[in-house]
Amino acid sequence: MDQLNVFELALLFALAENCPSLYTHIDKLRVVERECTGVGQYIFLKYNNENDLLLFSENILSNDKLIEIEGLEVGLGFVGNANDGKLINIEIFVYGSDDWNCDYTGFRLRDLRLSQ
């Protein structure tokens, strides 16, 4: 199992903004597999320790962020998929018709919420 990288950690912290219980999970997660589909990516996760988790009821963890990467016209979206109060994977998807080779070099998360 692989450690979470900077990109994956950024996505997890963004998901936790809308689901604070997820903060108790982040340091217990490892990557089992990274599957690049050509128009997105699945990052499959496994827990190395399930002690002291605050479980959540949502099956899909949404967010208010857009992943911006140079060369992608519109950008990428992402959600967390969960089962029994635990995260199973992060699903990343391309907005628009661009292909994506799963290179996240220079990524930036942009907040989609309007300022008040």
Side-chain angles (χ1 to χ4, degrees):
M1 288 191 289
D2 289 341
Q3 298 283 335
L4 296 163
N5 60 38
V6 172
F7 178 63
E8 294 155 349
L9 284 169
L11 301 184
L12 287 169
F13 278 101
L15 290 170
E17 288 178 17
N18 289 344
C19 181
S21 298
L22 185 58
Y23 287 116
T24 67
H25 298 232
I26 293 173
D27 67 340
K28 297 169 176 36
L29 289 168
R30 297 293 177 263
V31 176
V32 176
E33 180 183 359
R34 295 175 180 98
E35 179 185 333
C36 190
T37 66
V39 292
Q41 183 179 34
Y42 290 98
I43 302 165
F44 295 97
L45 305 167
K46 185 169 180 93
Y47 289 81
N48 63 357
N49 176 351
E50 296 187 16
N51 295 331
D52 303 320
L53 292 179
L54 295 176
L55 302 181
F56 46 87
S57 60
E58 297 88 344
N59 288 328
I60 297 178
L61 304 180
S62 61
N63 64 87
D64 302 316
K65 308 284 186 196
L66 177 71
I67 305 168
E68 295 180 322
I69 297 176
E70 190 173 325
L72 288 179
E73 186 175 331
V74 181
L76 302 164
F78 63 102
V79 296
N81 295 306
N83 189 19
D84 293 329
K86 295 181 278 188
L87 199 59
I88 298 169
N89 67 43
I90 301 171
E91 180 179 352
I92 305 167
F93 47 89
V94 174
Y95 286 117
S97 60
D98 290 331
D99 289 334
W100 180 50
N101 65 359
C102 296
D103 180 3
Y104 54 84
T105 304
F107 79 93
R108 179 176 159 250
L109 292 181
R110 182 165 57 98
D111 199 334
L112 297 175
R113 290 176 285 191
L114 298 175
S115 300
Q116 297 182 2

